[in-house]
Amino acid sequence: MSTLEHINCPICERDETEFLFDKESLSVVICKRCRLRYVNPRISRKALEEDYIETYYPPDKVDRIHSDSMEWLQMAERLTELEKQHPSKGRLLDVGCGIGTFLHLAREQGWHSRGIDPSKSGTTFAREVHELDVQCGDLFDASFPTAHFDAITLYHVLEHIPELDSFLGEIRRILKPSGDEKKGGTLVIEVPNGGSLQSRVQKADWPYVHPRDHLYYFSAQSLPKLLRKHGFRTVTLGKPKRVSPSTGASFMLRRMASATLVRFHLSTVIRVYAS
């Protein structure tokens, strides 16, 4: 295995943890202070970046995502809720944009869509098929102007970011600040919910436990703490909805059950809006 690196809790900046479990020869621990679950020690940043650039979107995965009706429904659901939170459309940046499905839908609804992703194959598809303005690289490569974006979206991205302090600092720099006279920029983050019912029951067998690249398992309590630490004054929990091509009785029952879990912050994913 690649060289491992030991870290302090990214919220408390201390190393006071309890061991939870091992998976794939890596340990998941929980901070005794803020209760954030994270991998420690973890694979080095360099090894992670190499994996994303070369292997994250192989051709078969790209084809499968692009043709999957569930993928399009999920992206449409995300866009609908974003527009409820930020009805005045403007400049949108999707960090970790993948093959560009979300940005494509946003552009059709009037957003000025831009994206960035470390995957060569993902960004190539987004440019060639959807004709989107996307870059291959990380957030710092782009050198976006200060206070430039009305909305920045991070869908299943933050759990992959090794250096949270510098990353969230850059997000704040390029997002429009809140003002007294008009609404500022909106940051949207969706991550697997480390405090979900499924996570608590399944522990290491929870499908979202990928300690090689899922470095943190945020909850509805720990993620707002992290954002407030980085100067986001308003943090609210979203209400992601279950989607399906089917609208039969079984789906409606699952949707009602999912909505109940969302209400009590026990659903599989959590989504927050911050400014």
Side-chain angles (χ1 to χ4, degrees), residues 78-111:
R78 289 172 176 173
L79 183 60
T80 296
E81 193 174 79
L82 167 60
E83 292 182 341
K84 290 178 181 177
Q85 296 286 331
H86 198 106
S88 56
K89 299 166 186 175
R91 297 191 187 106
L92 167 66
L93 174 66
D94 189 23
V95 180
C97 64
I99 67 171
T101 309
F102 176 76
L103 285 176
H104 171 68
L105 292 175
R107 184 180 59 190
E108 288 190 331
Q109 295 301 314
W111 290 86

Side-chain angles (χ1 to χ4, degrees), residues 53 95-96 116-120 123 134-142:
I53 292 169
V95 180
I116 191 162
D117 194 285
S119 167
K120 293 178 182 177
T123 51
V134 300
Q135 294 176 240
C136 181
D138 67 24
L139 185 63
F140 298 94
D141 294 332

Side-chain angles (χ1 to χ4, degrees), residues 144-162:
F144 291 119
T146 298
H148 186 67
F149 291 102
D150 298 282
I152 299 176
T153 52
L154 306 170
Y155 293 113
H156 294 261
V157 168
L158 200 66
E159 68 270 27
H160 296 269
I161 303 298

Side-chain angles (χ1 to χ4, degrees), residues 213-227:
D213 63 336
H214 284 192
L215 307 179
Y216 320 97
Y217 301 91
F218 296 105
S219 69
Q221 291 74 42
S222 61
L223 183 53
K225 287 180 182 177
L226 176 68
L227 293 173

Side-chain angles (χ1 to χ4, degrees), residues 37-54:
R37 302 179 181 203
Y38 61 101
V39 180
N40 202 27
R42 67 190 188 189
I43 294 173
S44 69
R45 175 180 177 177
K46 181 179 179 181
L48 283 171
E49 289 175 345
E50 289 172 352
D51 283 346
Y52 292 137
I53 292 169
E54 301 297 338

Side-chain angles (χ1 to χ4, degrees), residues 4 11 32 37 45 65 101 114 125 139 164 168 200-201 206 208 222 230:
L4 300 182
I11 298 175
K32 293 180 180 179
R37 302 179 181 203
R45 175 180 177 177
I65 292 172
T101 309
R114 298 188 69 177
F125 186 94
L139 185 63
L164 288 175
L168 288 172
R200 296 179 187 186
V201 171
W206 186 39
Y208 279 109
S222 61
H230 287 278

